[in-house]
Amino acid sequence: MSRNPDDHENNKNVQANDTQSFIVFVQPTSNRELGTKNSQSGEKSSKDEAKKKKNKCRGNRKLQRYKAKLRKRGFNNEAITALINNYNQANQDQNVVQESTIPNINREHLVPIDNQRTNNQPETSDKGNIQENVRTTKRKRATKSNNITESLSQISISNIVRKRPRSKTMDNIQEQQELNETTSDWKPKYLKLSDQIFKQMLSKSLSDADKFVQLLDTSEKLKYVRTYAHLLNNVFYLKLEESFWEHYKQVCISESIWSSPMLKNIAKENNLFRFKFKTQVQLEKHYQLIQKRLRTTENNLNQYKQQPIHESIDINTLSTIMTAFVRQGQHKLCAEFERKKLILQFDAIDHRLIKAFYNLNPTDDQIRSAKIIWQAAQSKLHAEEQLAILKQRIYTKRLPSSLNILDHSIDNVEHLLKQSIINRDKSATLSFRRLKTIAQFKYDIMTLEMTTVEEIIRSHVNIIADEKRKLIDSAGGQVPIPKSLVQVMNAIAARQSNMVQRSQCILKKKISVFDDAPMTINMAGAVGANIVQSFKTGLTNNCISYSDQRAKDFFTAIENVLRRLYTTPLRSKLLARIQYESRLIRSTRHHIKKSNIIIRPTDKSKVLHLGSVHDYHRKALQYMSETNAYNEITGGINPCQNHLQIVLTLIDPMLKNKDINLQLWKQYMRPNAATIELAHLYFIPKPHKIGTPLRPIVSSIKAAATGVSHFLDILLRPMFNQVTKATTFINGIDFVRQIENYRNSGRLLPTTLFVTFDITNLYTMIPRHGAIAALQKFLSKHADNRRIHGMTIDTITRLARLVLDTNCFVYSNKYYQQIRGGAMGSPFTMTLANVYMWEWEQTLLEYQRSHNEMYGRYIDDIFMTTNLSFDEINVRLIEA
């Protein structure tokens, strides 16, 4: 198809001016298409409007994020508002400056446009249709309000826009932040304490502080004193910081940290604890900041002192008491700063020792060995630190929280135990076994971890020893070792010793976390006096006079320590834990009283058993009925005074006849008529056995014959243990050793049976006459000239009968007397039961010895080996 030459020239002009203008072509649409598009756009706009209605406006999210960042930096709301206003004002000024820097430009010269296009006459194509064609430009263009596009390169840059100046508000806020008080976990926070606790702490500061506390009878006075303490606390804290940074400077100068700095590669290769110290400029700047804060705080305190106070408060007395109060409250803070100084000293020494080592010009092999030794020593110290913490956790029973997941490791059993079909006693027994299994598993994991850490420590020790041996071998067997090598090894050992001292200092701090909470002790009250008296008694018993100057200093130091522990505020986490446990205890007591339940420590374990009062009472009566060992005293008269008369009536003739030593009577046996009381019966559950049976315990600590029972136990037990040591198991380790001896002697055969049994209710089932007869026989066989420590067998027998005859107690508001066996809880009962069992087992013991078999007993548990059949064993036991 042929073209018009004029059109060709017009196309060339358009291409030539393509960078200066663009042409818009509009193509008309038909009515049907227009209606369709309008309907579609209407539906779309309605959907957009519905969507906009659903989306809630959440404000300027960018501004919100900016505010959140400022809050994290410590700015308050007023400072944030000031910053935002200042920023907006600066932007407005910036826009004004930018518009003023652009000169008046004749846009017609910059952007030449065809006359036809300026007159808004559209160009018609060959087809007569108007097309929409927008050409994209490569340059960014700034669009003005009159729809004229300018190229950025065509705008004059003779007047460059100036940088927005720094906000003065930001400078003021930063300066204010520098002057703000610093915080520390060890720093007391007197403004956050309750009024009651603050008064209690204040009254313990000095001996006459109670009178001053009584003057704080209004909220205004108390607020004044609390604010005074807060300001004085800030002053003392900043003085501690000032002292620390002075020490920092002295250490850097004395250890030549600044004068001869260490190379970065050497510091990196040798794993220094403190990679770099503050420069002298940084330290001076920080020190000046601390001094500025201190001056500001002191000025605030002086200005606060000038405020008028009540005439009843003397400013000098207030200053003295508050100084002592704040000093005592900062004792942990002072200790923390001293620890930081010590760590700083160790780090500086570490730098000096490294430089001293490299100044010796060691060889490459010596440097390699030194690095290995130091790395192994550091890893060894870290492992020892872990081991010490693990041991402390086991000792204090504070296991890691990560082990708590094991409590729910067998949840299926816990879920099954909740079913109502299971008997409550059996459910409690199984639940106890579950908890005991989990506790043992935790202990096994801790033990395994400790064993692993110990093995790691031994491995690092071997590495250190091997490297030192290589250093010695590098001398080629020279004797003595070259001086240069000795100096190198001494330098290595010196840094290793410094690492050990630093690690011990850090470990002491970590171990202190497991210490008990500070005690609340009133040193002016009876508790403090009892503590001091206990110390005095201990010194007297060890032949040390408590009037000695060293003892006085000791008592003064103890009093200061206890007072500091009491006056120091608790940490927030510890306080929250105390409050939680206090509420838990009160709630538990309330539920116990309301639900009629009993909490008792279980037998042979350290857990608690929760049982019903009615269930305990039922089992107690059932136990009394089965054993027939108790008779109710129907008279309703307390036999306590009668027991006292029985004891004195028996002992007085013995003292006159000198059957009993007077000193032994006064020291062990004489009852105190003013404090004696009747024993009471209680029970300990046995959840490890089916049905959770009860073990009866007669608490007779202050009974009339308890002293006699103690004396007989002290007199006879050592002799009995000596006689029966060959057939008595001391503990589990002793039992395993005897089994090993039995195996090693060749007596363990394929037909050998292990037999174990126990005596049911041993203490309450032994007959009295049989027990006394066994005691007389035992004493007659093993006593020298029928006397034991100067006492005849008849005297000992009469004292034993006295202990058995006065076994009375109260239970459920009734008086009972034990008529069989001895009271479990009386010291002499176990010795008497052992003597009776010793007499009973003689026949069986002789048979076992004759057949070269093993036999052993621990109180009521017996173990033996045999090659007999089961029926023959029963016959042998019946004969015994």
Side-chain angles (χ1 to χ4, degrees):
M1 184 176 65
S2 61
R3 293 187 177 181
N4 192 342
D6 296 334
D7 294 338
H8 183 69
E9 286 294 323
N10 292 335
N11 289 336
K12 286 184 180 181
N13 294 331
V14 170
Q15 293 177 1
N17 297 326
D18 186 40
T19 59
Q20 298 179 355
S21 64
F22 62 88
I23 304 173
V24 178
F25 297 92
V26 180
Q27 180 180 359
T29 57
S30 63
N31 294 333
R32 182 179 298 178
E33 292 177 351
L34 184 62
T36 304
K37 290 183 179 180
N38 290 336
S39 61
Q40 292 178 354
S41 61
E43 293 177 359
K44 186 176 181 181
S45 61
S46 62
K47 291 181 180 179
D48 293 340
E49 290 178 359
K51 187 175 181 181
K52 289 181 181 179
K53 290 181 180 178
K54 292 182 181 178
N55 295 333
K56 296 182 179 180
C57 179
R58 303 184 183 274
N60 190 342
R61 303 306 295 271
K62 184 177 180 181
L63 181 61
Q64 292 173 5
R65 289 192 295 269
Y66 179 67
K67 289 181 178 181
K69 290 181 180 180
L70 292 179
R71 290 192 191 97
K72 288 183 179 180
R73 294 177 58 184
F75 294 102
N76 54 23
N77 293 331
E78 296 179 357
I80 293 174
T81 304
L83 277 175
I84 293 174
N85 295 336
N86 186 70
Y87 177 80
N88 294 333
Q89 183 65 30
N91 284 341
Q92 293 177 3
D93 297 341
Q94 176 75 10
N95 294 333
V96 173
V97 171
Q98 287 181 355
E99 291 180 0
S100 63
T101 54
I102 300 176
N104 295 327
I105 304 174
N106 189 352
R107 293 180 174 83
E108 295 181 356
H109 292 87
L110 288 176
V111 188
I113 302 176
D114 190 18
N115 293 331
Q116 295 179 355
R117 295 171 206 149
T118 54
N119 294 330
N120 295 328
Q121 296 177 358
E123 185 179 7
T124 307
S125 64
D126 296 337
K127 296 181 180 180
N129 297 329
I130 302 174
Q131 298 179 354
E132 180 180 354
N133 185 11
V134 180
R135 293 182 179 271
T136 59
T137 58
K138 295 183 179 181
R139 292 180 181 269
K140 294 183 179 180
R141 299 179 179 272
T143 304
K144 295 298 179 179
S145 58
N146 54 1
N147 295 329
I148 298 176
T149 305
E150 297 177 348
S151 175
L152 295 179
S153 61
Q154 295 169 345
I155 299 177
S156 174
I157 59 173
S158 58
N159 298 323
I160 302 176
V161 180
R162 292 177 297 176
K163 185 178 179 180
R164 181 169 59 89
R166 181 178 175 87
S167 170
K168 295 183 179 180
T169 308
M170 178 68 76
D171 294 336
N172 296 335
I173 293 175
Q174 184 175 0
E175 182 179 359
Q176 183 64 31
Q177 277 190 325
E178 292 178 353
L179 297 178
N180 286 340
E181 61 182 65
T182 54
T183 58
S184 173
D185 293 337
W186 300 102
K187 183 181 176 182
K189 301 174 180 60
Y190 297 113
L191 295 180
K192 295 184 179 181
L193 295 176
S194 64
D195 294 343
Q196 183 180 0
I197 295 178
F198 181 78
K199 287 183 178 181
Q200 291 178 357
M201 294 171 57
L202 187 58
S203 62
K204 306 299 185 299
S205 58
L206 288 176
S207 58
D208 56 347
D210 293 330
K211 299 179 181 179
F212 178 78
V213 173
Q214 293 176 0
L215 299 176
L216 306 178
D217 51 359
T218 63
S219 59
E220 291 78 9
K221 296 179 184 179
L222 188 59
K223 182 179 179 181
Y224 181 86
V225 174
R226 285 163 68 95
T227 307
Y228 187 96
H230 174 70
L231 294 174
L232 189 61
N233 184 42
N234 291 339
V235 171
F236 288 165
Y237 177 80
L238 290 173
K239 287 183 178 180
L240 289 175
E241 277 202 341
E242 183 183 32
S243 174
F244 172 76
W245 293 111
E246 287 178 354
H247 178 77
Y248 197 110
K249 181 178 181 180
Q250 294 175 0
V251 168
C252 291
I253 294 174
S254 61
E255 300 296 339
S256 303
I257 301 297
W258 294 329
S259 59
S260 57
M262 185 181 299
L263 298 177
K264 290 185 178 180
N265 59 340
I266 296 179
K268 185 176 181 180
E269 292 172 357
N270 291 277
N271 296 322
L272 290 173
F273 294 108
R274 190 184 296 264
F275 186 74
K276 60 183 296 186
F277 287 79
K278 285 183 177 295
T279 63
Q280 193 168 2
V281 175
Q282 292 174 341
L283 183 60
E284 289 295 336
K285 183 178 180 181
H286 191 75
Y287 185 72
Q288 291 175 3
L289 176 61
I290 295 298
Q291 287 183 326
K292 187 176 181 181
R293 288 179 179 174
L294 180 58
R295 288 193 299 269
T296 303
T297 309
E298 288 177 342
N299 292 334
N300 294 337
L301 179 61
N302 293 331
Q303 292 176 4
Y304 193 76
K305 287 181 180 180
Q306 303 302 323
Q307 295 183 9
I309 58 176
H310 198 270
E311 58 183 6
S312 60
I313 299 178
D314 183 28
I315 189 63
N316 296 327
T317 305
L318 174 65
S319 178
T320 303
I321 293 177
M322 298 311 297
T323 300
F325 171 65
V326 174
R327 288 291 188 189
Q328 291 176 4
Q330 287 190 350
H331 74 280
K332 283 191 175 181
L333 188 63
C334 296
E336 179 65 16
F337 271 98
E338 292 299 325
R339 190 188 70 85
K340 289 171 63 176
K341 290 180 180 179
L342 193 59
I343 295 297
L344 176 66
Q345 187 70 45
F346 285 133
D347 294 342
I349 293 175
D350 196 46
H351 272 249
R352 175 171 56 81
L353 294 176
I354 288 289
K355 289 184 288 188
F357 171 76
Y358 280 93
N359 289 337
L360 296 175
N361 297 322
T363 63
D364 293 339
D365 292 338
Q366 291 173 347
I367 293 175
R368 185 190 61 82
S369 296
K371 291 179 181 179
I372 294 175
I373 291 174
W374 290 334
Q375 181 61 47
Q378 184 176 354
S379 302
K380 171 179 168 291
L381 293 173
H382 180 67
E384 289 177 346
E385 180 180 304
Q386 287 181 319
L387 181 62
I389 293 175
L390 287 173
K391 290 181 178 179
Q392 193 70 16
R393 285 188 178 277
I394 293 177
Y395 176 73
T396 58
K397 299 178 183 178
R398 295 175 61 181
L399 303 183
S401 58
S402 58
L403 295 181
N404 293 338
I405 193 175
L406 298 177
D407 295 337
H408 308 285
S409 58
I410 47 179
D411 285 342
N412 189 32
V413 176
E414 185 178 8
H415 177 70
L416 294 175
L417 291 175
K418 294 180 181 179
Q419 298 184 11
S420 58
I421 195 173
I422 303 178
N423 182 271
R424 287 188 300 173
D425 292 337
K426 292 183 179 180
S427 176
T429 301
L430 296 174
S431 178
F432 169 76
R433 290 182 179 178
R434 169 184 172 273
L435 295 176
K436 188 175 181 180
T437 302
I438 293 175
Q440 184 63 37
F441 185 46
K442 290 181 179 180
Y443 175 79
D444 293 341
I445 289 178
M446 297 283 289
T447 305
L448 178 61
E449 187 175 358
M450 289 173 58
T451 305
T452 305
V453 174
E454 289 174 349
E455 185 61 31
I456 292 174
I457 293 173
R458 284 191 290 269
S459 299
H460 288 307
V461 170
N462 294 334
I463 291 174
I464 294 173
D466 292 341
E467 290 300 325
K468 289 184 177 180
R469 193 179 302 110
K470 289 180 181 179
L471 287 174
I472 296 175
D473 294 341
S474 64
Q478 298 184 27
V479 179
I481 300 176
K483 184 177 180 180
S484 59
L485 181 58
V486 173
Q487 291 177 346
V488 169
M489 295 184 65
N490 290 339
I492 296 174
R495 193 198 176 201
Q496 187 178 354
S497 175
N498 184 70
M499 295 168 69
V500 171
Q501 295 179 21
R502 185 183 187 277
S503 176
Q504 291 175 352
C505 181
I506 295 177
L507 178 60
K508 184 179 179 181
K509 172 67 169 55
K510 292 184 177 181
I511 293 296
S512 64
V513 176
F514 299 96
D515 293 342
D516 293 334
M519 300 175 293
T520 55
I521 297 177
N522 183 4
M523 294 304 299
V527 178
N530 291 337
I531 293 176
V532 175
Q533 185 60 40
S534 299
F535 281 120
K536 291 182 178 179
T537 303
L539 294 176
T540 303
N541 294 337
N542 290 276
C543 301
I544 300 175
S545 175
Y546 56 81
S547 60
D548 186 75
Q549 183 61 37
R550 292 176 298 174
K552 292 181 179 179
D553 296 339
F554 169 76
F555 290 133
T556 303
I558 288 295
E559 185 176 355
N560 291 334
V561 168
L562 295 176
R563 182 181 288 116
R564 287 176 180 177
L565 289 175
Y566 178 68
T567 56
T568 302
L570 298 176
R571 293 193 297 268
S572 57
K573 291 184 179 180
L574 183 58
L575 180 60
R577 177 181 174 185
I578 291 173
Q579 293 174 348
Y580 168 75
E581 292 182 353
S582 177
R583 292 192 299 268
L584 184 63
I585 291 173
R586 290 196 301 267
S587 176
T588 303
R589 288 176 177 173
H590 174 72
H591 284 291
I592 289 174
K593 187 176 180 180
K594 182 179 178 181
S595 306
N596 290 327
I597 58 177
I598 294 177
I599 297 180
R600 289 284 185 271
T602 57
D603 185 44
K604 298 181 181 179
S605 65
K606 296 181 180 180
V607 298
L608 297 177
H609 179 266
L610 192 68
S612 170
V613 173
H614 302 292
D615 191 30
Y616 267 70
H617 185 65
R618 178 183 60 81
K619 291 181 179 181
L621 296 179
Q622 181 181 356
Y623 179 83
M624 291 182 179
S625 176
E626 291 176 354
T627 58
N628 291 323
Y630 308 97
N631 274 347
E632 182 181 351
I633 301 175
T634 57
I637 300 176
N638 190 338
C640 185
Q641 291 297 326
N642 186 30
H643 290 172
L644 178 61
Q645 294 299 325
I646 293 174
V647 172
L648 297 178
T649 302
L650 178 65
I651 296 298
D652 285 342
M654 292 183 178
L655 292 174
K656 292 179 181 179
N657 299 329
K658 296 184 179 180
D659 295 334
I660 297 178
N661 189 294
L662 180 61
Q663 184 178 359
L664 294 177
W665 161 252
K666 291 182 179 180
Q667 184 175 358
Y668 296 104
M669 293 182 282
R670 182 170 63 181
N672 188 349
T675 59
I676 63 169
E677 61 183 29
L678 190 66
H680 65 276
L681 178 69
Y682 68 94
F683 295 89
I684 295 179
K686 302 178 181 180
H688 58 282
K689 294 186 178 181
I690 301 298
T692 314
L694 303 179
R695 181 188 296 276
I697 303 295
V698 177
S699 177
S700 56
I701 297 176
K702 296 182 179 180
T706 299
V708 178
S709 178
H710 272 291
F711 173 73
L712 292 176
D713 182 60
I714 295 173
L715 182 69
L716 300 178
R717 182 182 293 189
M719 183 176 67
F720 177 81
N721 292 339
Q722 181 65 27
V723 172
T724 61
K725 64 180 181 180
T727 59
T728 301
F729 295 128
I730 302 174
N731 50 36
I733 297 176
D734 180 57
F735 170 75
V736 172
R737 288 176 179 173
Q738 293 195 36
I739 288 289
E740 291 177 347
N741 293 335
Y742 179 81
R743 178 201 61 190
N744 296 335
S745 62
R747 292 178 288 170
L748 182 60
L749 305 176
T751 58
T752 301
L753 298 178
F754 288 173
V755 181
T756 178
F757 58 93
D758 63 350
I759 310 300
T760 305
N761 299 325
L762 172 63
Y763 289 178
T764 56
M765 296 305 293
I766 57 175
R768 287 197 173 185
H769 296 292
I772 294 297
L775 177 62
Q776 291 176 338
K777 187 175 181 180
F778 177 80
L779 295 177
S780 299
K781 184 176 181 180
H782 299 286
D784 296 335
N785 296 327
R786 299 185 61 82
R787 287 181 177 272
I788 299 176
H789 294 286
M791 299 178 62
T792 63
I793 296 177
D794 180 65
T795 301
I796 296 174
T797 304
R798 293 169 64 188
L799 293 175
R801 285 197 179 97
L802 172 66
V803 173
L804 296 176
D805 292 339
T806 56
N807 279 340
C808 297
F809 56 87
V810 61
Y811 174 73
S812 188
N813 296 326
K814 294 181 181 180
Y815 300 115
Y816 293 88
Q817 181 179 10
Q818 187 167 349
I819 58 177
R820 290 188 60 182
M824 185 179 296
S826 178
F828 175 62
T829 302
M830 187 176 72
T831 302
L832 183 63
N834 279 328
V835 171
Y836 179 79
M837 287 298 300
W838 173 82
E839 177 64 24
W840 172 85
E841 66 190 3
Q842 289 304 309
T843 303
L844 184 60
L845 184 59
E846 290 296 331
Y847 179 84
Q848 290 292 104
R849 287 174 179 171
S850 62
H851 289 78
N852 204 19
E853 295 292 346
M854 179 180 171
Y855 178 88
R857 178 174 62 86
Y858 180 76
I859 306 178
D860 59 348
D861 295 318
I862 300 173
F863 176 84
M864 55 185 288
T865 60
T866 183
N867 286 284
L868 300 175
S869 63
F870 184 76
D871 295 334
E872 291 174 334
I873 294 172
N874 286 332
V875 172
R876 182 60 56 188
L877 292 177
I878 293 173
E879 292 177 355

